[in-house]
Amino acid sequence: MSDTPMDASKRTWLIASSCAGVVGAGFAAVPFVRSFEPSERAKAAGAPVEVDIGSLKPGEKATVEWRGKPVWILRRTKEQVDELAKLDGQLADPLSKRKPDELTPEYARNEARSIKPEVLVVVGICSHLGCSPTDKLQAGPQPSLPDDWKGGFLCPCHGSTFDLAGRVFKNKPAPDNLEVPPHMYLSDTRLLIGEDKKA
């Protein structure tokens, strides 16, 4: 250590330079540290999606996007729910036993394939080659459908048909039912898609 006293202007210059260096290093570190966080796009791609279904009337369907996939939310009428049990003999996997851990959470392994019988939540992608089926919700004869059609979905690519629980009919190209994504109710009218465990 020198016994020579430091010039006051030199001391001010050293302090100012040091402070500027610390501030500059801080600004340089922020983008570096932020690069470890997932991007907004990545968060949106995997983040749960909250949906208000309070205004969805019986017989109506809403579509939301989750992980880049269309997720259908259908509020079924009482008559539509009652018809589901009558279709078991025509379906390839009526109780969702195929690939249950991959396609159907435990709480949806029932005839309605849902937590609440009146609300269906499924990924709108055919299990055959990934086309998106079209709505054929009205019962009755229609082109490309049987005369005793009870309502459901028709894949326009190869003709696979699904009932109003997303279950595939027998002898169709689609090997499996439509996927039920993880979901849970936050309230009677708020649905969270992409998460089914309360923290």
Side-chain angles (χ1 to χ4, degrees):
M1 185 165 192
S2 169
D3 293 335
T4 322
M6 188 181 284
D7 184 338
S9 63
K10 193 177 202 181
R11 170 178 256 172
T12 304
W13 182 82
L14 281 173
I15 292 171
S17 297
S18 299
C19 290
V22 168
V23 169
F27 277 113
V30 168
F32 178 73
V33 170
R34 282 206 174 151
S35 71
F36 290 112
E37 296 177 11
S39 68
E40 288 304 315
R41 186 175 178 181
K43 284 187 215 171
V49 177
E50 191 173 326
V51 186
D52 183 355
I53 60 169
S55 62
L56 203 59
K57 295 179 176 65
E60 288 185 344
K61 185 186 100 175
T63 303
V64 296
E65 186 177 335
W66 172 68
R67 292 190 175 175
K69 303 174 191 175
V71 175
W72 298 338
I73 304 161
L74 173 66
R75 185 178 293 276
R76 296 175 285 208
T77 65
K78 182 182 182 319
E79 294 75 29
Q80 289 171 330
V81 172
D82 291 345
E83 285 294 324
L84 295 176
K86 299 174 187 175
L87 297 172
D88 286 4
Q90 301 173 46
L91 302 168
D93 184 19
L95 299 177
S96 303
K97 292 183 178 179
R98 291 187 196 163
K99 302 181 189 173
D101 294 331
E102 185 181 328
L103 298 173
T104 313
E106 192 172 342
Y107 48 81
R109 292 180 202 156
N110 51 54
E111 279 176 338
R113 294 187 80 223
S114 59
I115 298 170
K116 295 182 178 186
E118 71 277 10
V119 180
L120 173 69
V121 180
V122 290
V123 175
I125 297 177
C126 181
S127 57
H128 181 219
L129 293 176
C131 296
S132 187
T134 57
D135 296 351
K136 298 293 180 181
L137 306 179
Q138 289 301 112
Q142 297 168 54
S144 305
L145 294 169
D147 288 344
D148 64 345
W149 182 247
K150 302 297 183 194
F153 308 98
L154 168 68
C155 183
C157 296
H158 300 97
S160 293
T161 49
F162 302 86
D163 75 347
L164 289 170
R167 302 177 297 176
V168 68
F169 283 87
K170 288 179 182 175
N171 305 315
K172 298 294 179 178
D176 297 301
N177 297 335
L178 298 179
E179 176 189 353
V180 175
H183 64 282
M184 59 191 268
Y185 287 88
L186 302 175
S187 71
D188 285 343
T189 60
R190 301 296 294 180
L191 186 62
L192 187 66
I193 297 166
E195 193 175 305
D196 55 9
K197 306 255 185 325
K198 294 197 178 187

